[in-house]
Amino acid sequence: CANLFVGYQVLQGTVSIGTFTLVVSYTSLISNTLYSVLASLTDWYFIDIELEKLQFVFSLKSRLKSIKNSVPIPQQLATIKLENVSFRYPNAFSEENHYLQALIKKIEHRLVKKDSYYEQELNRWKDLIESQKSKPLALKNVSITLERGKIIALVGKNGSGKTTATHVLQHHFEPESGKVLLNDQPIYSYPQADVLQQFGWISQQPVILDQYSIAENLLLGNENHEASKQFDAVLEKIGLLSAINALPKKYDSVLGEDTHLSGGQKQLVAIARVILQKKPFLILDEGSNQLDLEKEFAVLQLLQKIKE
């Protein structure tokens, strides 16, 4: 507005071109300064949000039961059991609620328009905090015994708790009631890090990392540096070796750059990975659901040999 006013005065002959240039330069300087201040305020707002997130992450603590004087895991594991286990997935805890309330407060302070999209979202968050109702049981009085050297199939409808049972078996969650026993000892009596090392787990959507080589994906979670010597033997038995050998860089091929794997091939890489890890217990949560019958049969044959 100031520039328009002075420009009009130039046309009227009451202000010189030089004065007009000075006014324009001055107003531009003020505008740029204001924009910088506003941008800085916006940056600080987002920094404040990120600091709130960090505080939330650092406030989290393990919700798994443990004891101070944990015992070492036996070298020869025989069984893992669920005894009359009931479990429901937990609601948000105090840390999550505190985090949500802090975000709501900060965002509400920034809202200008009422009935905006953001305000509706905030109301949903508030409803989430207030509606912390008890969730239904995912497992109810379930007992399962898994013995080393045996293959056991757990069959049931979708949503019947099969995946949940595998999580509780691996001590990803604490049961609401009942016991999880590893070699007839409560699973929490062992160090949690050691417990996790006893299980190889293949989920319905296996973890495969793009921008990493096939070899790096096969060695994920494997502390045995000699495992790469067994690549050919394992991949040949599950029918993937010929596809890998056909690649120019073979095991050094980077996923997403040098090659792209199909869903079934990714699942075979995940299966080979856990076999190479040689863990005492191997859990396949529909871990062969993307394989054709020929490949699935090859995997089952290999598992039969491994169990022996």
Side-chain angles (χ1 to χ4, degrees):
C1 292
N3 292 342
L4 288 174
F5 174 77
V6 177
Y8 176 76
Q9 297 298 319
V10 171
L11 293 175
Q12 296 294 319
T14 57
V15 173
S16 67
I17 295 293
T19 302
F20 174 73
T21 303
L22 287 172
V23 171
V24 169
S25 300
Y26 182 67
T27 54
S28 296
L29 179 62
I30 293 175
S31 297
N32 290 335
T33 303
L34 287 173
Y35 286 136
S36 298
V37 170
L38 290 174
S40 298
L41 289 173
T42 302
D43 289 342
W44 277 111
Y45 168 70
F46 285 113
I47 290 171
D48 189 31
I49 294 293
E50 294 303 317
L51 288 174
E52 191 70 44
K53 290 180 184 178
L54 281 174
Q55 186 176 357
F56 163 66
V57 170
F58 288 130
S59 71
L60 293 177
K61 299 175 183 176
S62 174
R63 290 155 188 162
L64 296 174
K65 189 183 295 184
S66 62
I67 58 176
K68 290 183 178 179
N69 300 318
S70 57
V71 296
I73 289 182
Q75 290 186 352
Q76 290 298 323
L77 291 175
T79 59
I80 181 152
K81 302 177 183 178
L82 298 183
E83 285 191 356
N84 297 317
V85 164
S86 294
F87 171 79
R88 73 182 83 233
Y89 285 98
N91 286 313
F93 289 79
S94 58
E95 293 93 341
E96 285 92 339
N97 284 332
H98 175 77
Y99 173 58
L100 282 174
Q101 288 167 349
L103 282 186
I104 289 171
K105 185 176 180 181
K106 291 179 185 297
I107 295 173
E108 277 183 331
H109 181 69
R110 297 278 300 183
L111 283 179
V112 177
K113 296 180 180 179
K114 297 295 181 181
D115 300 323
S116 65
Y117 166 79
Y118 296 103
E119 193 171 47
Q120 294 175 21
E121 287 297 302
L122 288 179
N123 288 333
R124 287 179 55 198
W125 290 9
K126 292 176 183 177
D127 292 340
L128 178 65
I129 294 173
E130 294 173 1
S131 63
Q132 291 294 320
K133 297 179 180 179
S134 180
K135 295 181 180 179
L137 285 171
L139 300 175
K140 184 177 180 180
N141 298 328
V142 173
S143 295
I144 303 172
T145 298
L146 304 181
E147 297 181 43
R148 190 170 184 176
K150 291 188 177 181
I151 293 178
I152 295 175
L154 187 60
V155 182
K157 296 179 180 179
N158 291 338
S160 60
K162 303 186 298 297
T163 296
T164 301
T166 68
H167 281 299
V168 177
L169 275 167
Q170 297 174 86
H171 205 211
H172 294 166
F173 295 99
E174 203 68 51
E176 187 169 293
S177 62
K179 299 177 181 178
V180 183
L181 303 175
L182 184 59
N183 262 30
D184 293 322
Q185 293 290 326
I187 199 165
Y188 58 78
S189 62
Y190 304 106
Q192 177 66 8
D194 293 346
V195 168
L196 295 177
Q197 291 300 315
Q198 308 312 307
F199 297 94
W201 188 37
I202 305 172
S203 65
Q204 298 175 38
Q205 298 295 330
V207 175
I208 300 294
L209 301 180
D210 282 339
Q211 309 307 316
Y212 284 78
S213 69
I214 293 173
E216 288 170 326
N217 272 282
L218 285 168
L219 291 173
L220 277 176
N222 200 324
E223 297 178 357
N224 179 13
H225 299 294
E226 301 295 315
S228 58
K229 296 179 180 179
Q230 301 169 35
F231 282 178
D232 286 0
V234 173
L235 293 181
E236 184 176 16
K237 290 174 182 176
I238 61 176
L240 190 58
L241 183 60
S242 59
I244 301 299
N245 282 337
L247 299 172
K249 296 182 181 179
K250 296 182 171 56
Y251 291 114
D252 292 326
S253 301
V254 175
L255 299 182
E257 292 183 5
D258 301 319
T259 186
H260 294 274
L261 300 182
S262 67
Q265 288 174 325
K266 289 180 179 179
Q267 201 156 52
L268 287 172
V269 169
I271 291 169
R273 177 199 299 153
V274 295
I275 290 172
L276 288 163
Q277 290 171 355
K278 296 183 177 180
K279 300 296 178 66
F281 298 101
L282 175 58
I283 296 174
L284 281 78
D285 182 11
E286 297 189 30
S288 59
N289 64 334
Q290 299 186 56
L291 303 183
D292 57 39
L293 289 176
E294 181 184 359
K295 294 293 192 298
E296 188 171 27
F297 184 67
V299 169
L300 292 175
Q301 281 188 313
L302 180 55
L303 293 179
Q304 286 286 354
K305 291 180 181 178
I306 290 172
K307 86 178 175 78
E308 295 168 4

